[in-house]
């Protein structure tokens, strides 16, 4: 049961991620620390962030347990982290757009495992993405 | 209070440097949310209760950061960073830190 529901949920999540990524492409995100010169003046900056806690399903946890015996790629956890990061970035972009920002600079990630080492629990992670949203006044951005 | 994780604020100069400021909070998960999260754990997916919990905790850490910054007479905090660590089973610390400055 965990298998089918988990897979369904993951597919649905990926679809929604792709859709929103296309939608939010107008708010580009940069990992650079420096602002481009032409935008550096007459702009306001403010901190924006997005976070998400997400967990794997029971079946994947079981698969990962098997995989850990022999080593190698843990694909079920790879997709978990990929989804979490992209979701966190999307939420940050949404907040930036709500504030009327044109772009987000100096994006940093922070990852924390919530139930690390706990017995009988399924691994879940929190991902936080944060950065500085650049808001150029409407009259100047034209 | 202006907060940014850039090293400078576009169009403004730093007049005074006031040193490192920080704010932190340690939070434990609550039981009601834990049960819900436990159920959700079976099928995977987002644990909304925890997402909100951590959001609130981070907000509190930021509030304390701002408090400390205004106590030293700053009007902006530059280069803000966040970090988290799980202190004990089911408890997490949120730390926000940055450089307090006075902008013109």
């Amino acid at each position: 049961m965990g298998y089918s529901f988990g897979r369904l949920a993951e597919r649905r999540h990926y679809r929604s991620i792709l859709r929103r990524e296309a939608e939010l492409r107008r708010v580009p995100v940069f990992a650079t620390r420096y602002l481009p010169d032409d935008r550096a003046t007459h702009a306001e900056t403010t901190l924006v962030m997005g976070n998400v806690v997400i967990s794997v399903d029971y079946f994947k946890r079981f698969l990962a347990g098997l995989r850990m015996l022999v080593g190698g790629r843990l694909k079920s956890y790879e997709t978990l982290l990929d989804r979490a990061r992209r979701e966190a970035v999307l939420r940050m972009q949404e907040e930036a757009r709500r504030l009327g920002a044109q772009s987000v600079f100096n994006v940093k990630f922070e990852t924390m495992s919530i139930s690390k080492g706990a017995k009988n629990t399924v691994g879940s992670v929190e991902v936080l993405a944060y950065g500085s949203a650049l808001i150029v006044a409407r009259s100047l951005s034209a | 209070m202006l907060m940014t994780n850039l090293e400078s604020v576009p169009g403004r100069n730093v007049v005074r440097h006031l040193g490192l400021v920080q704010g932190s909070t340690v939070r434990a998960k609550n039981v009601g949310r834990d049960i819900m999260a436990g159920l959700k754990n079976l099928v995977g997916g987002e644990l909304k209760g925890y997402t909100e919990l951590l959001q609130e905790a981070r907000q509190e850490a930021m509030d304390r950061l701002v408090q400390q910054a205004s106590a030293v007479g700053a009007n902006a905090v530059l280069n803000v960073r966040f970090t988290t660590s799980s202190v004990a089973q089911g408890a997490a610390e949120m730390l926000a830190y940055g450089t307090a400055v006075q902008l013109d």
Side-chain angles (χ1 to χ4, degrees):
Chain A
M1 201 176 83
Y3 175 67
S4 49
F5 274 110
R7 230 174 61 153
L8 209 74
E10 184 173 295
R11 279 232 205 102
R12 192 150 12 107
H13 192 201
Y14 261 125
R15 264 205 303 276
S16 113
I17 284 176
L18 288 174
R19 183 173 49 75
R20 282 181 297 154
E21 271 182 351
E23 203 180 293
L24 285 164
R25 210 149 278 158
R26 286 185 299 128
V27 187
V29 170
F30 302 95
T32 52
R33 277 153 61 193
Y34 303 105
L35 303 175
D37 288 338
D38 59 324
R39 294 197 220 168
T41 45
H42 312 300
E44 264 183 58
T45 57
T46 179
L47 208 63
V48 286
M49 59 179 87
N51 75 327
V52 62
V53 178
I54 192 166
S55 86
V56 284
D57 57 75
Y58 202 77
F59 182 75
K60 284 195 164 176
R61 160 98 170 165
F62 174 71
L63 277 187
L66 287 183
R67 172 59 81 182
M68 272 180 211
L69 294 176
V70 293
R73 279 177 67 181
L74 289 175
K75 225 180 149 202
S76 49
Y77 283 114
E78 281 178 357
T79 53
L80 173 77
L81 285 161
D82 180 50
R83 275 157 65 200
R85 292 236 164 77
R86 286 163 84 169
E87 180 70 40
V89 169
L90 283 169
R91 287 183 186 183
M92 181 186 69
Q93 281 176 300
E94 266 157 26
E95 193 190 330
R97 188 172 61 174
R98 220 177 17 253
L99 295 170
Q102 280 76 26
S103 47
V104 183
F105 281 86
N106 202 12
V107 173
K108 296 251 153 52
F109 286 106
E110 173 69 34
T111 315
M112 176 177 63
S113 119
I114 290 195
S115 45
K116 182 171 59 188
K119 286 260 157 47
N120 301 318
T121 53
V122 179
S124 50
V125 291
E126 193 223 6
V127 172
L128 165 76
Y130 60 103
S132 292
L134 202 64
I135 306 166
V136 180
R138 205 152 288 266
S139 55
L140 293 162
S141 65
Chain B
M1 185 71 63
L2 201 153
M3 298 237 281
T4 174
N5 74 340
L6 297 170
E7 280 154 32
S8 61
V9 177
R12 311 213 18 208
N13 295 317
V14 173
V15 192
R16 270 181 74 203
H17 226 261
L18 296 160
L20 197 71
V21 284
Q22 52 179 297
S24 79
T25 176
V26 180
R27 287 284 176 104
K29 316 188 273 196
N30 91 27
V31 185
R33 276 170 169 163
D34 222 27
I35 292 167
M36 277 309 292
L39 291 177
K40 194 80 204 248
N41 253 337
L42 286 175
V43 292
E46 188 183 352
L47 310 177
K48 287 224 173 67
Y50 284 173
T51 304
E52 277 162 28
L53 180 75
L54 292 168
Q55 219 165 27
E56 280 162 25
R58 204 159 276 128
Q59 190 58 50
E60 185 166 344
M62 276 167 71
D63 289 346
R64 289 186 181 169
L65 174 80
V66 168
Q67 237 173 53
Q68 210 182 85
S70 49
V72 295
N75 61 3
V77 184
L78 305 183
N79 216 354
V80 174
R81 294 285 154 89
F82 292 100
T83 157
T84 37
S85 52
S86 37
V87 180
Q89 191 94 166
E93 191 213 11
M94 303 275 157
L95 170 69
Y97 61 100
T99 312
V101 294
Q102 223 168 53
L103 298 175
D104 58 358

